[in-house]
Amino acid sequence: TTEAEILALSMRLAGAGKQAGLTEADVMSIAAAMSSVGIEAEAGGSAMSVTMKRIAKEVETGGDKLGTFAKVAGMSSEQFTTAWGENAAGALSMFVAGLADTSHMGMSASLVLDELGINGLREADALVRMSGAQGLMNDALGLGNKSYAENIALLTEAEARYATTESQIKMAGNAIKDA
């Protein structure tokens, strides 16, 4: 994938991601995983946003499809609700990974998606592609969150360094030379 593809997908996932409680690192990580399996921003961003909204609605209302989302993720409804509230990206990742092994439910991924009301071509395609790359989303979330934290730490350290009197004098001198 490329940075441009990840950014384009991230922009399309950001709204639904924020509503679901995803961090910036989560959104970027999910976008990276989606882009890595060839999902384009226009189709994939709206498809995954719709999926996140569906799950959030079922969790919030205790809807009749919550049990199926939870079962696919390998959890009880209560566990899935708790997981979604504490780490929506992790719960989403578990659901996507669970789609790859729906045989334990005696169904195919297509039938499970139909049961969940996910029958739009783009949404179903995005989820099936993601489930086919088991572990990719989890790996991307782990790496993305670690990298995001490291970048924040580096930025904080740089800010502290630039705030010193010596640095301020050097930057003022550089500004004078530039002028």
PDB file of all heavy atoms in Angstrom, residues 79-108:
ATOM      1  N   GLN A  79     -19.872 -10.078  26.225  1.00  0.00           N
ATOM      2  CA  GLN A  79     -18.432  -9.886  26.009  1.00  0.00           C
ATOM      3  C   GLN A  79     -18.180  -8.968  24.819  1.00  0.00           C
ATOM      4  O   GLN A  79     -17.306  -8.098  24.877  1.00  0.00           O
ATOM      5  CB  GLN A  79     -17.740 -11.229  25.767  1.00  0.00           C
ATOM      6  CG  GLN A  79     -17.664 -12.114  26.983  1.00  0.00           C
ATOM      7  CD  GLN A  79     -17.176 -13.520  26.631  1.00  0.00           C
ATOM      8  OE1 GLN A  79     -17.518 -14.073  25.591  1.00  0.00           O
ATOM      9  NE2 GLN A  79     -16.383 -14.100  27.521  1.00  0.00           N
ATOM     10  N   PHE A  80     -18.938  -9.161  23.749  1.00  0.00           N
ATOM     11  CA  PHE A  80     -18.759  -8.334  22.554  1.00  0.00           C
ATOM     12  C   PHE A  80     -19.124  -6.881  22.848  1.00  0.00           C
ATOM     13  O   PHE A  80     -18.424  -5.966  22.431  1.00  0.00           O
ATOM     14  CB  PHE A  80     -19.591  -8.876  21.389  1.00  0.00           C
ATOM     15  CG  PHE A  80     -19.276  -8.213  20.082  1.00  0.00           C
ATOM     16  CD1 PHE A  80     -18.142  -8.564  19.362  1.00  0.00           C
ATOM     17  CD2 PHE A  80     -20.107  -7.235  19.554  1.00  0.00           C
ATOM     18  CE1 PHE A  80     -17.833  -7.954  18.145  1.00  0.00           C
ATOM     19  CE2 PHE A  80     -19.816  -6.618  18.341  1.00  0.00           C
ATOM     20  CZ  PHE A  80     -18.680  -6.982  17.641  1.00  0.00           C
ATOM     21  N   THR A  81     -20.204  -6.682  23.592  1.00  0.00           N
ATOM     22  CA  THR A  81     -20.615  -5.320  23.960  1.00  0.00           C
ATOM     23  C   THR A  81     -19.527  -4.638  24.781  1.00  0.00           C
ATOM     24  O   THR A  81     -19.182  -3.484  24.533  1.00  0.00           O
ATOM     25  CB  THR A  81     -21.947  -5.358  24.748  1.00  0.00           C
ATOM     26  OG1 THR A  81     -22.954  -5.921  23.903  1.00  0.00           O
ATOM     27  CG2 THR A  81     -22.369  -3.977  25.192  1.00  0.00           C
ATOM     28  N   THR A  82     -18.960  -5.363  25.728  1.00  0.00           N
ATOM     29  CA  THR A  82     -17.878  -4.817  26.550  1.00  0.00           C
ATOM     30  C   THR A  82     -16.654  -4.531  25.692  1.00  0.00           C
ATOM     31  O   THR A  82     -16.049  -3.457  25.798  1.00  0.00           O
ATOM     32  CB  THR A  82     -17.509  -5.788  27.694  1.00  0.00           C
ATOM     33  OG1 THR A  82     -18.673  -5.996  28.500  1.00  0.00           O
ATOM     34  CG2 THR A  82     -16.379  -5.249  28.542  1.00  0.00           C
ATOM     35  N   ALA A  83     -16.296  -5.474  24.831  1.00  0.00           N
ATOM     36  CA  ALA A  83     -15.133  -5.298  23.953  1.00  0.00           C
ATOM     37  C   ALA A  83     -15.318  -4.098  23.044  1.00  0.00           C
ATOM     38  O   ALA A  83     -14.389  -3.310  22.855  1.00  0.00           O
ATOM     39  CB  ALA A  83     -14.896  -6.562  23.119  1.00  0.00           C
ATOM     40  N   TRP A  84     -16.506  -3.935  22.494  1.00  0.00           N
ATOM     41  CA  TRP A  84     -16.768  -2.802  21.600  1.00  0.00           C
ATOM     42  C   TRP A  84     -16.648  -1.479  22.371  1.00  0.00           C
ATOM     43  O   TRP A  84     -16.093  -0.523  21.865  1.00  0.00           O
ATOM     44  CB  TRP A  84     -18.158  -2.927  20.961  1.00  0.00           C
ATOM     45  CG  TRP A  84     -18.422  -1.861  19.948  1.00  0.00           C
ATOM     46  CD1 TRP A  84     -19.108  -0.688  20.137  1.00  0.00           C
ATOM     47  CD2 TRP A  84     -17.990  -1.837  18.584  1.00  0.00           C
ATOM     48  NE1 TRP A  84     -19.130   0.051  18.976  1.00  0.00           N
ATOM     49  CE2 TRP A  84     -18.457  -0.639  18.008  1.00  0.00           C
ATOM     50  CE3 TRP A  84     -17.260  -2.725  17.810  1.00  0.00           C
ATOM     51  CZ2 TRP A  84     -18.212  -0.299  16.678  1.00  0.00           C
ATOM     52  CZ3 TRP A  84     -17.016  -2.390  16.480  1.00  0.00           C
ATOM     53  CH2 TRP A  84     -17.486  -1.190  15.933  1.00  0.00           C
ATOM     54  N   GLY A  85     -17.119  -1.463  23.592  1.00  0.00           N
ATOM     55  CA  GLY A  85     -17.039  -0.238  24.402  1.00  0.00           C
ATOM     56  C   GLY A  85     -15.623   0.111  24.821  1.00  0.00           C
ATOM     57  O   GLY A  85     -15.268   1.282  24.920  1.00  0.00           O
ATOM     58  N   GLU A  86     -14.807  -0.904  25.071  1.00  0.00           N
ATOM     59  CA  GLU A  86     -13.442  -0.666  25.534  1.00  0.00           C
ATOM     60  C   GLU A  86     -12.435  -0.535  24.400  1.00  0.00           C
ATOM     61  O   GLU A  86     -11.445   0.178  24.529  1.00  0.00           O
ATOM     62  CB  GLU A  86     -13.005  -1.804  26.467  1.00  0.00           C
ATOM     63  CG  GLU A  86     -13.783  -1.844  27.761  1.00  0.00           C
ATOM     64  CD  GLU A  86     -13.448  -3.055  28.615  1.00  0.00           C
ATOM     65  OE1 GLU A  86     -12.642  -3.907  28.196  1.00  0.00           O
ATOM     66  OE2 GLU A  86     -14.022  -3.153  29.730  1.00  0.00           O
ATOM     67  N   ASN A  87     -12.651  -1.271  23.312  1.00  0.00           N
ATOM     68  CA  ASN A  87     -11.689  -1.283  22.199  1.00  0.00           C
ATOM     69  C   ASN A  87     -12.431  -1.696  20.926  1.00  0.00           C
ATOM     70  O   ASN A  87     -12.375  -2.863  20.516  1.00  0.00           O
ATOM     71  CB  ASN A  87     -10.544  -2.251  22.509  1.00  0.00           C
ATOM     72  CG  ASN A  87      -9.523  -2.327  21.389  1.00  0.00           C
ATOM     73  OD1 ASN A  87      -9.594  -1.609  20.398  1.00  0.00           O
ATOM     74  ND2 ASN A  87      -8.560  -3.217  21.545  1.00  0.00           N
ATOM     75  N   ALA A  88     -13.126  -0.745  20.330  1.00  0.00           N
ATOM     76  CA  ALA A  88     -13.947  -1.034  19.148  1.00  0.00           C
ATOM     77  C   ALA A  88     -13.112  -1.599  18.007  1.00  0.00           C
ATOM     78  O   ALA A  88     -13.557  -2.505  17.292  1.00  0.00           O
ATOM     79  CB  ALA A  88     -14.692   0.220  18.702  1.00  0.00           C
ATOM     80  N   ALA A  89     -11.900  -1.111  17.849  1.00  0.00           N
ATOM     81  CA  ALA A  89     -11.042  -1.610  16.767  1.00  0.00           C
ATOM     82  C   ALA A  89     -10.705  -3.080  16.983  1.00  0.00           C
ATOM     83  O   ALA A  89     -10.725  -3.879  16.043  1.00  0.00           O
ATOM     84  CB  ALA A  89      -9.762  -0.785  16.666  1.00  0.00           C
ATOM     85  N   GLY A  90     -10.420  -3.453  18.208  1.00  0.00           N
ATOM     86  CA  GLY A  90     -10.119  -4.843  18.523  1.00  0.00           C
ATOM     87  C   GLY A  90     -11.327  -5.744  18.310  1.00  0.00           C
ATOM     88  O   GLY A  90     -11.206  -6.848  17.771  1.00  0.00           O
ATOM     89  N   ALA A  91     -12.510  -5.280  18.715  1.00  0.00           N
ATOM     90  CA  ALA A  91     -13.734  -6.053  18.521  1.00  0.00           C
ATOM     91  C   ALA A  91     -14.036  -6.206  17.029  1.00  0.00           C
ATOM     92  O   ALA A  91     -14.409  -7.289  16.571  1.00  0.00           O
ATOM     93  CB  ALA A  91     -14.902  -5.389  19.233  1.00  0.00           C
ATOM     94  N   LEU A  92     -13.841  -5.131  16.269  1.00  0.00           N
ATOM     95  CA  LEU A  92     -14.048  -5.185  14.819  1.00  0.00           C
ATOM     96  C   LEU A  92     -13.072  -6.175  14.189  1.00  0.00           C
ATOM     97  O   LEU A  92     -13.450  -6.983  13.331  1.00  0.00           O
ATOM     98  CB  LEU A  92     -13.872  -3.801  14.203  1.00  0.00           C
ATOM     99  CG  LEU A  92     -14.011  -3.696  12.689  1.00  0.00           C
ATOM    100  CD1 LEU A  92     -15.416  -4.089  12.233  1.00  0.00           C
ATOM    101  CD2 LEU A  92     -13.685  -2.275  12.231  1.00  0.00           C
ATOM    102  N   SER A  93     -11.841  -6.148  14.637  1.00  0.00           N
ATOM    103  CA  SER A  93     -10.823  -7.062  14.129  1.00  0.00           C
ATOM    104  C   SER A  93     -11.189  -8.515  14.427  1.00  0.00           C
ATOM    105  O   SER A  93     -11.017  -9.395  13.580  1.00  0.00           O
ATOM    106  CB  SER A  93      -9.465  -6.721  14.736  1.00  0.00           C
ATOM    107  OG  SER A  93      -8.476  -7.589  14.245  1.00  0.00           O
ATOM    108  N   MET A  94     -11.717  -8.761  15.602  1.00  0.00           N
ATOM    109  CA  MET A  94     -12.119 -10.124  15.963  1.00  0.00           C
ATOM    110  C   MET A  94     -13.300 -10.585  15.112  1.00  0.00           C
ATOM    111  O   MET A  94     -13.371 -11.744  14.706  1.00  0.00           O
ATOM    112  CB  MET A  94     -12.436 -10.207  17.453  1.00  0.00           C
ATOM    113  CG  MET A  94     -11.193 -10.039  18.317  1.00  0.00           C
ATOM    114  SD  MET A  94     -11.544 -10.107  20.066  1.00  0.00           S
ATOM    115  CE  MET A  94     -11.747 -11.864  20.262  1.00  0.00           C
ATOM    116  N   PHE A  95     -14.221  -9.682  14.832  1.00  0.00           N
ATOM    117  CA  PHE A  95     -15.346 -10.021  13.969  1.00  0.00           C
ATOM    118  C   PHE A  95     -14.857 -10.356  12.556  1.00  0.00           C
ATOM    119  O   PHE A  95     -15.244 -11.366  11.977  1.00  0.00           O
ATOM    120  CB  PHE A  95     -16.363  -8.871  13.924  1.00  0.00           C
ATOM    121  CG  PHE A  95     -17.396  -9.041  12.853  1.00  0.00           C
ATOM    122  CD1 PHE A  95     -18.409  -9.976  12.988  1.00  0.00           C
ATOM    123  CD2 PHE A  95     -17.348  -8.276  11.708  1.00  0.00           C
ATOM    124  CE1 PHE A  95     -19.361 -10.147  11.989  1.00  0.00           C
ATOM    125  CE2 PHE A  95     -18.285  -8.438  10.701  1.00  0.00           C
ATOM    126  CZ  PHE A  95     -19.296  -9.375  10.836  1.00  0.00           C
ATOM    127  N   VAL A  96     -13.982  -9.512  12.018  1.00  0.00           N
ATOM    128  CA  VAL A  96     -13.460  -9.733  10.667  1.00  0.00           C
ATOM    129  C   VAL A  96     -12.695 -11.059  10.605  1.00  0.00           C
ATOM    130  O   VAL A  96     -12.868 -11.847   9.671  1.00  0.00           O
ATOM    131  CB  VAL A  96     -12.578  -8.543  10.214  1.00  0.00           C
ATOM    132  CG1 VAL A  96     -11.809  -8.870   8.957  1.00  0.00           C
ATOM    133  CG2 VAL A  96     -13.443  -7.302  10.004  1.00  0.00           C
ATOM    134  N   ALA A  97     -11.875 -11.327  11.605  1.00  0.00           N
ATOM    135  CA  ALA A  97     -11.132 -12.585  11.636  1.00  0.00           C
ATOM    136  C   ALA A  97     -12.080 -13.777  11.749  1.00  0.00           C
ATOM    137  O   ALA A  97     -11.867 -14.817  11.124  1.00  0.00           O
ATOM    138  CB  ALA A  97     -10.140 -12.592  12.793  1.00  0.00           C
ATOM    139  N   GLY A  98     -13.140 -13.616  12.526  1.00  0.00           N
ATOM    140  CA  GLY A  98     -14.113 -14.685  12.695  1.00  0.00           C
ATOM    141  C   GLY A  98     -14.861 -15.024  11.417  1.00  0.00           C
ATOM    142  O   GLY A  98     -15.322 -16.158  11.236  1.00  0.00           O
ATOM    143  N   LEU A  99     -14.984 -14.058  10.520  1.00  0.00           N
ATOM    144  CA  LEU A  99     -15.650 -14.320   9.239  1.00  0.00           C
ATOM    145  C   LEU A  99     -14.909 -15.378   8.424  1.00  0.00           C
ATOM    146  O   LEU A  99     -15.515 -16.078   7.612  1.00  0.00           O
ATOM    147  CB  LEU A  99     -15.763 -13.043   8.406  1.00  0.00           C
ATOM    148  CG  LEU A  99     -16.911 -12.108   8.744  1.00  0.00           C
ATOM    149  CD1 LEU A  99     -16.821 -10.847   7.908  1.00  0.00           C
ATOM    150  CD2 LEU A  99     -18.247 -12.787   8.557  1.00  0.00           C
ATOM    151  N   ALA A 100     -13.613 -15.482   8.641  1.00  0.00           N
ATOM    152  CA  ALA A 100     -12.818 -16.471   7.901  1.00  0.00           C
ATOM    153  C   ALA A 100     -13.121 -17.890   8.352  1.00  0.00           C
ATOM    154  O   ALA A 100     -12.833 -18.838   7.630  1.00  0.00           O
ATOM    155  CB  ALA A 100     -11.331 -16.171   8.067  1.00  0.00           C
ATOM    156  N   ASP A 101     -13.709 -18.042   9.540  1.00  0.00           N
ATOM    157  CA  ASP A 101     -13.981 -19.374  10.067  1.00  0.00           C
ATOM    158  C   ASP A 101     -15.427 -19.474  10.543  1.00  0.00           C
ATOM    159  O   ASP A 101     -15.693 -19.746  11.714  1.00  0.00           O
ATOM    160  CB  ASP A 101     -13.017 -19.693  11.209  1.00  0.00           C
ATOM    161  CG  ASP A 101     -13.188 -21.111  11.725  1.00  0.00           C
ATOM    162  OD1 ASP A 101     -13.606 -21.985  10.935  1.00  0.00           O
ATOM    163  OD2 ASP A 101     -12.924 -21.335  12.911  1.00  0.00           O
ATOM    164  N   THR A 102     -16.361 -19.219   9.643  1.00  0.00           N
ATOM    165  CA  THR A 102     -17.776 -19.306  10.006  1.00  0.00           C
ATOM    166  C   THR A 102     -18.292 -20.739   9.949  1.00  0.00           C
ATOM    167  O   THR A 102     -19.443 -20.993  10.285  1.00  0.00           O
ATOM    168  CB  THR A 102     -18.624 -18.413   9.082  1.00  0.00           C
ATOM    169  OG1 THR A 102     -18.340 -18.759   7.728  1.00  0.00           O
ATOM    170  CG2 THR A 102     -18.339 -16.948   9.331  1.00  0.00           C
ATOM    171  N   SER A 103     -17.432 -21.675   9.574  1.00  0.00           N
ATOM    172  CA  SER A 103     -17.856 -23.070   9.496  1.00  0.00           C
ATOM    173  C   SER A 103     -18.274 -23.604  10.871  1.00  0.00           C
ATOM    174  O   SER A 103     -19.122 -24.492  10.960  1.00  0.00           O
ATOM    175  CB  SER A 103     -16.754 -23.939   8.898  1.00  0.00           C
ATOM    176  OG  SER A 103     -15.594 -23.883   9.707  1.00  0.00           O
ATOM    177  N   HIS A 104     -17.701 -23.038  11.953  1.00  0.00           N
ATOM    178  CA  HIS A 104     -18.103 -23.461  13.302  1.00  0.00           C
ATOM    179  C   HIS A 104     -19.558 -23.107  13.588  1.00  0.00           C
ATOM    180  O   HIS A 104     -20.169 -23.651  14.497  1.00  0.00           O
ATOM    181  CB  HIS A 104     -17.174 -22.869  14.377  1.00  0.00           C
ATOM    182  CG  HIS A 104     -17.377 -21.408  14.618  1.00  0.00           C
ATOM    183  ND1 HIS A 104     -16.808 -20.445  13.808  1.00  0.00           N
ATOM    184  CD2 HIS A 104     -18.096 -20.746  15.550  1.00  0.00           C
ATOM    185  CE1 HIS A 104     -17.162 -19.249  14.248  1.00  0.00           C
ATOM    186  NE2 HIS A 104     -17.936 -19.399  15.296  1.00  0.00           N
ATOM    187  N   MET A 105     -20.103 -22.202  12.783  1.00  0.00           N
ATOM    188  CA  MET A 105     -21.511 -21.842  12.911  1.00  0.00           C
ATOM    189  C   MET A 105     -22.367 -22.648  11.932  1.00  0.00           C
ATOM    190  O   MET A 105     -23.583 -22.477  11.882  1.00  0.00           O
ATOM    191  CB  MET A 105     -21.689 -20.344  12.640  1.00  0.00           C
ATOM    192  CG  MET A 105     -20.974 -19.448  13.626  1.00  0.00           C
ATOM    193  SD  MET A 105     -21.045 -17.698  13.176  1.00  0.00           S
ATOM    194  CE  MET A 105     -22.792 -17.363  13.294  1.00  0.00           C
ATOM    195  N   GLY A 106     -21.721 -23.480  11.137  1.00  0.00           N
ATOM    196  CA  GLY A 106     -22.436 -24.268  10.145  1.00  0.00           C
ATOM    197  C   GLY A 106     -22.892 -23.450   8.947  1.00  0.00           C
ATOM    198  O   GLY A 106     -23.850 -23.809   8.275  1.00  0.00           O
ATOM    199  N   MET A 107     -22.175 -22.337   8.701  1.00  0.00           N
ATOM    200  CA  MET A 107     -22.564 -21.433   7.618  1.00  0.00           C
ATOM    201  C   MET A 107     -21.322 -20.948   6.886  1.00  0.00           C
ATOM    202  O   MET A 107     -20.216 -21.011   7.413  1.00  0.00           O
ATOM    203  CB  MET A 107     -23.321 -20.217   8.183  1.00  0.00           C
ATOM    204  CG  MET A 107     -24.565 -20.551   8.968  1.00  0.00           C
ATOM    205  SD  MET A 107     -25.225 -19.117   9.846  1.00  0.00           S
ATOM    206  CE  MET A 107     -26.088 -18.280   8.537  1.00  0.00           C
ATOM    207  N   SER A 108     -21.542 -20.410   5.709  1.00  0.00           N
ATOM    208  CA  SER A 108     -20.456 -19.749   4.988  1.00  0.00           C
ATOM    209  C   SER A 108     -20.448 -18.280   5.389  1.00  0.00           C
ATOM    210  O   SER A 108     -21.425 -17.769   5.962  1.00  0.00           O
ATOM    211  CB  SER A 108     -20.676 -19.871   3.481  1.00  0.00           C
ATOM    212  OG  SER A 108     -21.806 -19.098   3.096  1.00  0.00           O
TER     213      SER A 108
END
